[in-house]
Amino acid sequence: MLKSVFSYDSVELSTNGREVIILDQTLLPNQEKFLHLTTSEQVFFAITLLKVRGAPAIGIAAAFGVAMCVNRFKTKSVDALEKEFLRVKRYLSISRPTAINLMWALNRMERCFYVTKAKIDTTDKNAVEVIKNALIAEARSIKLEDTRMCLSISENGFSLLSPGMGILTHCNAGHLAVSRYGTALGPIYLAQQKGYSPKVYADETRPMLQGARLTTYELMKAGIDTTLICDDMASVVMSQGKINIIFVGSDRVAANGDAANKVGTSTVAILAHYYGIPFYVLCPTSTIDFNCPDGKGIVIEERPSYEVTDMYFSKPCAPEGTKVYNPSFDITPSNLITGIITEKGIFKPSELKKLLEVDGKVH
Ligand code: MRU
């Protein structure tokens, strides 16, 4: 069993359900500051500005956000509560476009709203409280289930590791990006606990430096041997035989196994194919979008130019007015993916549909 390596989670709902508490990831690694969010606008901007980020963490933050806003809404009328619920849901659903977990979590909250409403007498004086409590409980279950999924993903990924392995990862798909433990980094924590001494190479992940700022921060906190490389050095470490396996996360996996993840992931996959290194995508089944036949259907977020030209430089690194293209994600074609490691097992991309055959649904 994977022990928690941290004393905190990156996203939490306060005990009274009136605050969403997040670790501001934009300040890492220099400052650990927790923000207490109490409005839909604060949650929206925390997601948009990457204060909370990583596909599962975004979904959890949105679920907590909608539960918190509805809980704070003063009314005795179920109709008024419903209007507020739908307003917040619609608003948060457009905070980021690529991670399917966001819509998945919000749709689950909507189902909870209507299932609860259908079960009660909406004219009863406690009706509003019953719905509020049901939403809070549902949001907490989303987080708890994500933690359980991360544990199973960690165990499934760990089964592919052996002592002393070199593992390359891109972006941050660790504790910070989920409820707890991580997807791509989960097996690495388990390997460390079991005395395997994994050696991790973290791509810095231009332009927002999730690898340099976040992956190194959390792996080093756990005492894991971590080496930071610039994205364009991945080929060098692969050619030198330092990398035995590649673990990355995903924001959305299409039905055919094409996987969207932080921009630069497909470059790593192409290099891995060239050097014959196994390339795995680790994600919960809630990240698989069976309504999306292939990667062409996945919306790629485009982010502002200053992230490329100014964000982490003391002076701008490009002339003022430089034309910038800043796609935040890319699609790794399924033929470059060795396997998709989920909480339900390890699947070849072509086998993903088996998940549907088991119980007709994956989540
Ligand atoms: O823009 P970000 O930092 O939210 O991008 C995050 C990633 O690309 C992660 O790899 C992905 O969300 C999986 S997190 C378990």
Side-chain angles (χ1 to χ4, degrees):
M1 171 63 92
L2 184 49
K3 277 189 259 139
S4 188
V5 280
F6 295 97
S7 54
Y8 55 77
D9 294 338
S10 61
V11 54
E12 192 50 276
L13 185 67
S14 63
T15 321
N16 63 9
R18 291 176 64 81
E19 293 176 359
V20 179
I21 305 164
I22 60 158
L23 175 64
D24 185 346
Q25 297 191 39
T26 60
L27 302 178
L28 293 174
N30 302 311
Q31 202 187 340
E32 286 176 0
K33 183 176 173 190
F34 288 87
L35 306 175
H36 293 245
L37 315 175
T38 55
T39 65
S40 55
E41 289 75 16
Q42 287 173 352
V43 177
F44 179 91
F45 284 108
I47 295 173
T48 305
L49 299 173
L50 313 191
K51 289 174 190 291
V52 56
R53 42 128 325 264
I58 295 170
I60 296 161
F64 281 165
V66 83
M68 175 274 288
C69 291
V70 167
N71 191 32
R72 279 181 162 268
F73 190 68
K74 287 199 185 93
T75 183
K76 295 262 177 269
S77 143
V78 168
D79 284 351
L81 197 74
E82 181 173 344
K83 264 201 190 125
E84 174 64 0
F85 172 85
L86 292 173
R87 180 195 73 77
V88 179
K89 186 202 160 200
R90 258 196 309 273
Y91 179 51
L92 294 183
S93 70
I94 54 165
S95 53
R96 290 193 79 187
T98 304
I100 186 69
N101 306 61
L102 178 71
M103 272 322 289
W104 171 82
L106 287 171
N107 285 338
R108 199 168 138 171
M109 294 300 284
E110 183 169 342
R111 271 199 303 280
C112 170
F113 187 101
Y114 286 111
V115 167
T116 313
K117 185 183 163 193
K119 276 197 216 144
I120 59 173
D121 171 2
T122 53
T123 59
D124 187 276
K125 67 174 176 16
N126 293 323
V128 161
E129 277 317 298
V130 172
I131 295 177
K132 285 181 174 182
N133 290 338
L135 290 174
I136 289 174
E138 184 71 358
R140 291 198 200 283
S141 324
I142 288 174
K143 179 170 173 186
L144 192 67
E145 287 166 28
D146 185 72
T147 304
R148 291 200 187 114
M149 289 193 284
C150 283
L151 278 172
S152 302
I153 291 168
S154 304
E155 275 154 14
N156 292 336
F158 173 73
S159 70
L160 301 171
L161 299 180
S162 42
M165 264 189 167
I167 306 159
L168 186 136
T169 190
H170 189 76
C171 193
N172 172 266
H175 181 87
L176 294 166
V178 299
S179 55
R180 212 169 277 182
Y181 312 117
T183 55
L185 302 191
I188 298 171
Y189 288 125
L190 204 49
Q192 178 76 354
Q193 270 178 30
K194 303 232 183 215
Y196 276 29
S197 306
K199 293 178 184 20
V200 180
Y201 286 82
D203 278 353
E204 68 173 349
T205 318
R206 278 272 289 152
M208 294 299 277
L209 307 185
Q210 288 92 334
R213 295 185 303 105
L214 309 176
T215 296
T216 53
Y217 161 85
E218 61 165 271
L219 290 178
M220 287 167 71
K221 229 173 161 43
I224 293 170
D225 181 340
T226 308
T227 305
L228 176 64
I229 56 169
C230 298
D231 299 347
D232 44 14
M233 298 169 189
S235 174
V236 176
V237 290
M238 288 189 204
S239 72
Q240 291 171 341
K242 291 180 170 146
I243 309 300
N244 304 104
I245 196 164
I246 294 157
F247 280 172
V248 297
S250 178
D251 283 76
R252 190 184 306 212
V253 176
N256 75 338
D258 290 350
N261 193 47
K262 181 52 54 194
V263 70
T265 304
S266 65
T267 319
V268 174
I270 291 163
L271 289 173
H273 185 70
Y274 179 80
Y275 290 110
I277 300 169
F279 178 96
Y280 286 92
V281 171
L282 296 90
C283 65
T285 50
S286 53
T287 298
I288 304 168
D289 184 357
F290 283 103
N291 294 320
C292 184
D294 58 43
K296 288 196 278 296
I298 301 177
V299 179
I300 299 293
E301 176 180 20
E302 274 188 49
R303 296 191 57 89
S305 57
Y306 71 82
E307 290 181 352
V308 175
T309 54
D310 292 54
M311 192 78 185
Y312 290 105
F313 299 95
S314 54
K315 292 194 180 125
C317 72
E320 207 181 323
T322 300
K323 192 159 98 179
V324 171
Y325 176 47
N326 184 13
S328 194
F329 296 91
D330 63 19
I331 309 289
T332 299
S334 57
N335 65 317
L336 297 180
I337 298 173
T338 314
I340 298 177
I341 304 176
T342 74
E343 78 281 7
K344 296 192 180 179
I346 305 178
F347 298 87
K348 289 204 176 81
S350 58
E351 294 171 343
L352 277 186
K353 289 214 170 75
K354 277 189 189 164
L355 282 165
L356 285 176
E357 286 156 19
V358 177
D359 54 5
K361 62 182 174 65
V362 285
H363 30 74

